[in-house]
Amino acid sequence: MDHPLKMLDVAGVAVSPHHYIDGHRVASTGSFELHCPIDQRLLGHVDEGGGAEVDAAIRASQRAFPAWSALSAAERKPFLDRFAAEIGKRADAFCLLESNDAGVLLSRMRHGVVPRAMLNITWFAEHALTLQDRPIHTEQAHHIVRHDPAGVVVVITPWNSPLLLSTWKLGPALAAGNTCILKPPEWAPLTCSLLADAADAAGLPPGVFNVVQGSGAHTGARLVSDPRIARVSFTGSVPTAKWIAQAAGANLVPCSLELGGKSPFIVLDDADLDNAAATGALMYRNAGQVCLAGTRFLVHERVAERFIAAMRGHVERLNVGDPREEATEVGPIIHPRQVERVLGYIDRAVAGGARVLWGGQRHPFGAQYVQPTMLTDLRQDAEIVQNEVFGPVLTLQTFGSDDEAIALANGTDYGLGGVCYGETAHATAVAERVRTGFIWVNSFGIRDLAAPFGGIKRSGIGREGGDWSFEFFCDVKDVVVPKKPFRASFSQR
């Protein structure tokens, strides 16, 4: 039975609440409500994908795979360049949608996220050209190393930055010749829906890119457990990743898992304290809903008081408010459940003896706003030191030596990122001893698409970026051509 199609009007932007499967919008009977985190108003109802929609998307991806994968990287590149261009044409719409359904700063969308989303597509389309038939010459043979597309890829992205993280995965997956099914976050699905419009306008063949909306427990579970899937790329929480790995593992499907962080922000006694404090205030960006933020401040005891005073000054100047206003620097938390989770961490820490340096409560701007918060007087085994809060809540501990700082930095089950401020050689030496997937020295947020990104321990499995993305999204094959005539012998292995 066909269901009527409709459009949502969000901040003057027309966006489809329906799935995108095999080049067409597809409606389903089930749906879920979507609310704006800024003022809790109902944005509309978005379709919930079930077994029929999941099956249709997988079958469409399978049908499209032979022709798409048969194209060379050079032949796929014009499609992907047009895809990026169509994202650029819709830049204002992407900015408005993600600000309204995810609470992301409009300024960040306009100046950072949309340009980066376009680059995520074009850079990997270009980089795929370098992966063709890499030769290895040995004494016995010529080896032709190929990166063959794996098949149907499922991409599952989180609600804190849907457009950026979707394109970060789709760029290399599509450039490698895979066909893709994107499962958007149920709390912020609208920019992923608009992404389908951009793909359609760019002329991507039907079935190459599909969008199936719904919850992780309902829609995502069906996708990742299906034996027809070749790869699963997921960014999100540790508990969900464990379930995905188990479900995909039953079919021996490889998973790339970029998970949570509890990253250290180390301030050595020879650091530029004001610069470190200014960078520290950036950790409240996106209301602290950033996996790679340095949330555990580890400050040398000799400079702790001066650093706290300097950072307090920067934090007091932060503009908390409507993310659609250009001057706003800290917006809302995505969902009421997340607000309660964040406040619960603060309340339990204070009840356990933590001292509030600043913040610690709801912000008067709105129901889903929490004050930028810093807590101190915490033991290393405290819940809030060990677990990811994913809100505007930081902790501060002091240390007396480099060895103590490194022990504290390495003293959690996470290992995604980190920050280290100090005299450059000193900070670099400390950074090299921190067990993490990456760490910034006297800086923050520098990201190059050619470089690897990912974590260790509970922060994930695998790396994204550069060749590492293609290693995951491809089946690497060695074509071996002997240099001399080959004669079979039982003594050979």
Side-chain angles (χ1 to χ4, degrees):
M1 176 180 177
D2 292 330
H3 303 286
L5 299 180
K6 57 185 178 181
M7 299 293 283
L8 299 180
D9 184 330
V10 177
V13 177
V15 59
S16 175
H18 306 301
H19 315 290
Y20 179 76
I21 299 172
D22 206 16
H24 303 284
R25 289 292 178 176
V26 176
S28 55
T29 54
S31 67
F32 56 93
E33 291 185 349
L34 182 64
H35 293 266
C36 176
I38 305 167
D39 54 16
Q40 295 75 59
R41 74 188 186 282
L42 179 67
L43 296 177
H45 291 79
V46 177
D47 284 3
E48 171 93 9
E53 291 77 27
V54 167
D55 181 65
I58 294 174
R59 286 188 288 109
S61 296
Q62 287 181 310
R63 287 194 300 270
F65 178 72
W68 182 250
S69 62
L71 297 176
S72 67
E75 291 170 325
R76 287 190 290 267
K77 187 176 182 298
F79 287 96
L80 299 177
D81 288 343
R82 289 196 298 271
F83 187 14
E86 292 294 336
I87 293 172
K89 291 177 184 177
R90 293 162 175 78
D92 289 343
F94 277 113
C95 293
L96 287 169
L97 286 178
E98 199 151 300
S99 286
N100 278 274
D101 79 338
V104 177
L105 299 180
L106 189 67
S107 59
R108 178 172 176 259
M109 289 296 299
R110 181 176 292 123
H111 303 298
V113 172
V114 172
R116 167 64 187 274
M118 298 170 64
L119 185 63
N120 283 343
I121 303 296
T122 58
W123 190 93
F124 283 107
E126 179 72 26
H127 193 64
L129 302 176
T130 69
L131 299 177
Q132 302 306 299
D133 299 343
R134 292 183 174 180
I136 299 175
H137 300 295
T138 68
E139 183 179 343
Q140 291 182 302
H142 299 287
H143 296 257
I144 303 169
V145 180
R146 292 180 51 85
H147 287 74
D148 294 336
V152 178
V153 169
V154 168
V155 170
I156 303 177
T157 54
W159 41 259
N160 61 320
S161 192
L163 176 63
L164 177 68
L165 294 176
S166 293
T167 53
W168 168 239
K169 298 172 185 295
L170 291 171
L174 292 170
N178 300 290
T179 53
C180 297
I181 303 170
L182 172 62
K183 207 292 285 183
E186 58 266 36
W187 286 353
L190 296 183
T191 46
C192 292
S193 180
L194 191 63
L195 202 57
D197 291 344
D200 191 74
L204 262 68
V208 168
F209 174 53
N210 307 274
V211 178
V212 182
Q213 299 158 152
S215 68
H218 188 63
T219 308
R222 283 182 164 88
L223 283 166
V224 301
S225 61
D226 196 291
R228 294 171 289 180
I229 299 302
R231 296 287 191 278
V232 176
S233 181
F234 170 76
T235 298
S237 71
V238 172
T240 302
K242 289 181 178 180
W243 192 92
I244 288 173
Q246 185 177 24
N251 299 313
L252 297 180
V253 173
C255 296
S256 174
L257 306 172
E258 195 272 284
L259 310 179
K262 195 65 182 174
S263 301
F265 191 117
I266 304 169
V267 181
L268 302 170
D269 59 354
D270 51 7
D272 179 335
L273 295 184
D274 189 66
N275 193 17
T279 303
L282 294 178
M283 303 306 108
Y284 294 117
R285 186 172 58 184
N286 209 31
Q289 300 167 127
V290 180
C291 62
L292 51 76
T295 57
R296 292 186 297 128
F297 280 70
L298 308 176
V299 184
H300 197 287
E301 58 193 17
R302 283 202 291 267
V303 299
E305 287 189 14
R306 285 186 288 147
F307 174 79
I308 289 169
M311 186 166 171
R312 187 193 302 274
H314 286 285
V315 173
E316 287 175 348
R317 292 191 291 273
L318 289 174
N319 189 350
V320 179
D322 190 325
R324 298 165 297 191
E325 299 292 334
E326 187 74 23
T328 298
E329 295 166 303
V330 180
I333 290 176
I334 183 74
H335 193 275
R337 290 212 303 267
Q338 185 65 13
V339 174
E340 295 306 317
R341 182 176 185 272
V342 171
L343 292 174
Y345 270 108
I346 296 173
D347 292 343
R348 291 190 298 274
V350 171
R355 178 164 55 97
V356 179
L357 289 174
W358 53 77
Q361 299 177 358
R362 290 182 187 268
H363 194 281
F365 188 86
Q368 288 178 218
Y369 285 74
V370 173
Q371 294 175 335
T373 298
M374 178 72 86
L375 302 175
T376 192
D377 295 347
L378 292 156
R379 290 164 51 96
Q380 180 68 7
D381 61 359
E383 175 196 43
I384 201 166
V385 172
Q386 292 294 320
N387 295 335
E388 184 179 45
V389 178
F390 222 59
V393 181
L394 310 174
T395 63
L396 188 146
Q397 299 163 272
T398 60
F399 62 85
S401 68
D402 289 357
D403 287 344
E404 186 181 358
I406 291 160
L408 291 172
N410 293 337
T412 76
D413 290 335
Y414 290 97
L416 183 56
V419 181
C420 188
Y421 267 84
E423 185 277 323
T424 300
H426 183 194
T428 301
V430 169
E432 289 174 348
R433 295 173 62 191
V434 177
R435 296 197 63 227
T436 189
F438 58 91
I439 186 166
W440 287 292
V441 173
N442 294 333
S443 59
F444 175 75
I446 297 172
R447 295 279 303 278
D448 292 302
L449 295 183
F453 178 84
I456 64 172
K457 299 189 283 186
R458 292 180 69 197
S459 288
I461 296 173
R463 293 292 181 272
E464 297 178 277
D467 287 357
W468 293 272
S469 286
F470 289 102
E471 294 292 320
F472 174 72
F473 285 120
C474 293
D475 290 324
V476 180
K477 179 170 63 181
D478 181 18
V479 179
V480 184
V481 181
K483 291 183 176 179
K484 299 177 180 179
F486 180 80
R487 297 290 182 266
S489 168
F490 281 107
S491 64
Q492 292 178 334
R493 296 185 183 180

